[in-house]
Amino acid sequence: MKYIRNFCIIAHIDHGKSTLADRLLDFTGSVTEREQQDQLLDNMDLERERGITIKSHAIQMEYTHEGQDYILNLIDTPGHVDFSYEVSRSIAACEGALLVVDAAQSIQAQTISNLYLALENDLEIIPVLNKVDLPSANPEEVTDDIVNLLGCKPEEVIPASAKTGTGIGEILTAIIDRIPAPKGDPDQSLQALIFDSVYNPFRGVETYFRVINGSISKGQHIKFMATGKTYFADEVGTLKLKQVPKKTIYTGDVGYLITGIKEAKEVKVGDTITDAKNPTTNMVEGFEDVKPMVFAGIYPVDTDDYEELRTSMEKLQLNDASLVFQPESSAALGFGFRCGFLGMLHLEIIQERLEREFDMTVITTVPNVSYHAYTNAAPDECILVNNPSDMPDPSKLNRMEEPYIKASIITKSDYVGPVMSLCIEKRGQITNQTYLTTERVELNFDMPLAEIVFDFYDRLKTVSRGYASFDYSPIGMRESKLVKVDVLLNGNVVDALSALLHQDNAYEIGKKMCEKLRKLIPRQQFDIPIQAAIGAKIISRETVKALRKDVTAKCYGGDISRKRKLLEKQKKGKKRMRQVGNVEIPQEAFMAVLKLNE
């Protein structure tokens, strides 16, 4: 056990985490030249294109240091804020972390939030200053920032470049010297933490775990504590680039387990594996069910593809257990699904994967968050509102609560004004402002989650010219004055465009929605009124003017009453047409609501 080191790499997006992992694998000889490629641990096309890690990965390296063989387990973590629960479980499976900071960009918001997660778990932090070979790098200045943040000595910060391979040897030596060996009791009953799972179409779900006490062997009868289900360990082994089956995995080591589970929902990240005959009494702390934060409707463009979409969603769910969905129908869009996502990036990725992997073109409705409603009849009974149509009748409503988040924004001091006015416009309340250096400021806000779901991140990047970095964590529900805004086309409610909004913003957003739709809805032979309404009260109206046929063209003189007679006849026809006319809504109209400020 004393020759095992378990560590993870934490960094902000684009600070060179995946590239550093590639160099460590090359240096320890874990990959042959033939297997080498960039972003080796990111095995989804989408991850490579966007340069982000969506799914965390784990890999084992063997390294000889001063004549002694060591086993190094790298547990990679996703970088984006949507996947922070997965990051927290990966961190809980380690004893140390490499804190990677870009020498050109310095410390960003996610670096700090992931660092706090690591410090809460008492991890040994090894600061690494990456990209020192860049012409724009400021190694001395950024080293000072790291020293101020961690309270370490400047010589403990390792300068490196994952691209050129500088400093990789020093990093490996630091991992062995500074990170403690795993602690645990090999004689106790089995206790192992699940930090990830992957779906294999031939063998079912592969569970990745870290043994904390005891050991796990092939053929053992095991139990998952959160679900209470028992299985047989068909195969256990360690994770090299390819899986290496072993008879037993001992305390402190990281491995994979195959039990033939077909349902991804049965394997929960953060759950504890124990022996079925002699179970441990305590679970590993920190387990929670992953809760979706953002909800949106996903509908097939052609209603005949509904069953095909269901199959595609089920297959996606095997790979991504944090996606939840249930069937719903809409008068405007037909049959589809109400889906829950961890955040906006998660929503984008699912939409893109549906298009790429399953050839499904889908319409996504306006994303919203889940609210709590309380009625006068039962003021203590909470009704979950995931969809605006679930909202109780306003006359019976006692109060509504919406989820709030604690947002942390790090930006240059020149942009504090615009960033603050953006957050206040989004109903944020400033709670703290700290100058990290003379140039860089950290701002903390309490904000409603619903306000950051739409275009907040894009606008933050715009007002700060790309310099601001953003991170958030949920802080619970707070009471709020919310109203349901409906959009009516030709007098009919379009349920797919309804939204739950704060009372103060409802008029402005309703007006913008109507203006946007007027430009997008094609003209018909009759006038189409577009209205935004709260209950029975119309708050905004726009009209798409009719295409007019000149019925008086054949009159070349004569009495005016002949023209009037033809115009009256046309007017009646238009009125009748409007009663039976059907207005088609183009797909851009559903997407345009997300980009109201453009």
Side-chain angles (χ1 to χ4, degrees):
M1 220 162 75
K2 63 180 182 185
Y3 300 122
I4 296 176
R5 299 286 182 273
N6 297 324
F7 69 100
C8 59
I9 305 178
I10 51 180
H12 189 73
I13 298 169
D14 269 354
H15 280 205
K17 196 164 58 119
S18 297
T19 318
L20 180 63
D22 291 348
R23 286 301 81 73
L24 290 170
L25 293 172
D26 295 347
F27 201 88
T28 53
S30 307
V31 259
T32 60
E33 275 186 38
R34 215 177 97 197
E35 294 166 326
Q36 267 178 20
Q37 55 170 330
D38 287 345
Q39 284 176 266
L40 188 69
L41 295 182
D42 293 347
N43 50 17
M44 246 187 262
D45 295 343
L46 211 60
E47 293 182 310
R48 296 175 175 285
E49 277 170 36
R50 292 193 174 206
I52 53 176
T53 303
I54 296 167
K55 199 90 185 82
S56 53
H57 300 267
I59 193 159
Q60 190 176 80
M61 299 174 269
E62 286 166 6
Y63 182 60
T64 308
H65 176 66
E66 294 176 357
Q68 177 61 51
D69 290 340
Y70 286 88
I71 289 176
L72 311 178
N73 288 313
L74 162 60
I75 298 172
D76 193 13
T77 57
H80 199 273
V81 51
D82 287 1
F83 308 113
S84 56
Y85 174 65
E86 281 189 24
V87 177
S88 78
R89 296 299 82 207
S90 298
I91 285 176
C94 302
E95 276 81 33
L98 298 180
L99 177 75
V100 179
V101 179
D102 186 327
Q105 294 182 0
S106 190
I107 291 159
Q108 306 274 315
Q110 277 169 353
T111 321
I112 291 185
S113 75
N114 285 351
L115 172 69
Y116 287 153
L117 268 180
L119 291 172
E120 275 170 32
N121 284 292
D122 293 335
L123 264 62
E124 179 63 41
I125 308 287
I126 299 175
V128 175
L129 185 63
N130 194 18
K131 304 193 186 182
V132 288
D133 58 321
L134 287 184
S136 58
N138 286 335
E140 292 84 7
E141 204 177 296
V142 180
T143 303
D144 291 345
D145 291 352
I146 296 173
V147 169
N148 291 340
L149 179 70
L150 286 178
C152 61
K153 299 186 180 115
E155 54 271 18
E156 286 177 15
V157 181
I158 304 171
S161 162
K163 199 170 171 187
T164 60
T166 318
I168 303 296
E170 287 82 355
I171 293 173
L172 285 165
T173 308
I175 289 170
I176 288 165
D177 294 346
R178 294 196 217 166
I179 294 178
K183 296 180 183 69
D185 187 347
D187 304 325
Q188 274 190 17
S189 56
L190 168 67
Q191 183 192 25
L193 166 73
I194 298 176
F195 62 83
D196 198 9
S197 68
V198 180
Y199 184 76
N200 178 331
F202 304 108
R203 312 191 63 184
V205 181
E206 298 170 357
T207 310
Y208 294 172
F209 63 88
R210 144 86 199 266
V211 183
I212 293 171
N213 291 314
S215 61
I216 181 167
S217 306
K218 184 178 175 171
Q220 188 173 345
H221 198 193
I222 53 158
K223 178 181 173 185
F224 287 11
M225 291 180 79
T227 57
K229 297 194 174 176
T230 57
Y231 307 97
F232 279 101
D234 296 341
E235 181 178 311
V236 294
T238 52
L239 296 150
K240 295 280 180 68
L241 199 57
K242 306 250 185 325
Q243 294 169 341
V244 183
K246 295 269 172 80
K247 277 214 170 111
T248 306
I249 306 254
Y250 297 98
T251 309
D253 213 344
V254 172
Y256 72 92
L257 159 75
I258 295 175
T259 50
I261 300 173
K262 292 286 181 280
E263 283 278 321
K265 294 193 211 66
E266 290 182 26
V267 180
K268 295 184 184 292
V269 171
D271 194 358
T272 306
I273 306 175
T274 186
D275 187 49
K277 297 188 183 79
N278 177 20
T280 178
T281 46
N282 45 350
M283 283 180 76
V284 180
E285 285 176 12
F287 170 73
E288 54 187 80
D289 274 321
V290 178
K291 293 182 201 69
M293 303 288 272
V294 173
F295 294 85
I298 286 187
Y299 292 86
V301 174
D302 184 355
T303 37
D304 297 346
D305 297 340
Y306 173 71
E307 280 305 323
E308 207 178 312
L309 178 63
R310 178 197 288 276
T311 318
S312 309
M313 299 281 275
E314 281 167 357
K315 284 183 182 164
L316 261 187
Q317 203 175 30
L318 293 172
N319 269 326
D320 186 348
S322 47
L323 167 70
V324 286
F325 64 90
Q326 63 195 60
E328 73 164 1
S329 62
S330 143
L333 297 171
F335 289 102
F337 295 97
R338 189 88 198 153
C339 309
F341 306 95
L342 299 177
M344 285 304 280
L345 178 82
H346 192 203
L347 166 83
E348 267 178 55
I349 285 163
I350 294 290
Q351 207 178 333
E352 195 139 328
R353 284 182 68 185
L354 278 172
E355 282 189 14
R356 284 188 181 201
E357 295 172 26
F358 304 101
D359 250 359
M360 292 293 311
T361 317
V362 291
I363 295 175
T364 313
T365 64
V366 184
N368 64 324
V369 298
S370 92
Y371 300 93
H372 288 177
Y374 297 88
T375 55
N376 290 323
D380 301 329
E381 212 173 292
C382 161
I383 302 168
L384 255 186
V385 180
N386 290 336
N387 192 346
S389 60
D390 302 341
M391 187 172 161
D393 182 4
S395 59
K396 297 174 185 163
L397 198 64
N398 180 318
R399 65 186 191 281
M400 292 278 288
E401 289 181 353
E402 64 175 330
Y404 263 69
I405 55 159
K406 181 182 171 62
S408 144
I409 298 169
I410 295 182
T411 180
K412 282 194 157 182
S413 44
D414 315 0
Y415 306 118
V416 170
V419 168
M420 275 173 128
S421 52
L422 170 68
C423 293
I424 289 162
E425 179 197 326
K426 295 280 187 188
R427 299 192 285 138
Q429 297 154 349
I430 188 157
T431 55
N432 199 359
Q433 177 177 356
T434 332
Y435 275 82
L436 302 171
T437 67
T438 49
E439 284 288 296
R440 296 160 64 72
V441 190
E442 182 179 8
L443 302 166
N444 294 107
F445 288 89
D446 285 357
M447 290 173 78
L449 178 66
E451 294 288 344
I452 66 155
V453 164
F454 288 154
D455 54 352
F456 176 76
Y457 195 59
D458 298 343
R459 286 185 62 197
L460 177 69
K461 286 288 183 198
T462 312
V463 298
S464 65
R465 299 204 183 152
Y467 275 111
S469 62
F470 169 69
D471 193 70
Y472 67 85
S473 54
I475 51 171
M477 308 293 281
R478 295 188 187 177
E479 198 173 326
S480 203
K481 287 183 181 170
L482 296 165
V483 289
K484 179 182 169 195
V485 176
D486 288 317
V487 173
L488 291 88
L489 270 188
N490 202 13
N492 301 323
V493 174
V494 182
D495 52 1
L497 290 171
S498 301
L500 283 175
L501 303 167
H502 193 265
Q503 208 167 353
D504 302 349
N505 304 345
Y507 285 87
E508 195 184 323
I509 292 182
K511 188 165 178 280
K512 280 185 181 169
M513 275 164 122
C514 290
E515 285 169 3
K516 200 88 177 183
L517 288 170
R518 194 194 74 212
K519 294 174 191 163
L520 291 166
I521 287 174
R523 290 170 70 186
Q524 308 280 347
Q525 295 284 334
F526 54 94
D527 283 2
I528 307 169
I530 303 169
Q531 296 160 310
I534 297 173
K537 185 180 177 190
I538 303 292
I539 55 172
S540 171
R541 168 174 172 142
E542 295 283 335
T543 309
V544 178
K545 282 292 176 201
L547 290 166
R548 185 166 167 266
K549 182 182 171 189
D550 190 0
V551 286
T552 58
K554 58 187 177 194
C555 297
Y556 48 89
D559 193 5
I560 183 72
S561 57
R562 287 181 63 201
K563 285 190 178 178
R564 196 161 289 150
K565 187 176 161 191
L566 287 167
L567 289 168
E568 285 298 323
K569 194 176 167 191
Q570 183 188 34
K571 200 172 172 185
K572 277 182 192 161
K574 288 216 182 284
K575 191 176 177 186
R576 194 166 62 245
M577 202 189 284
R578 191 179 141 188
Q579 284 166 353
V580 295
N582 202 355
V583 184
E584 284 287 315
I585 307 169
Q587 189 181 343
E588 299 86 71
F590 294 104
M591 298 314 292
V593 186
L594 307 184
K595 303 185 176 78
L596 284 178
N597 284 306
E598 285 175 14

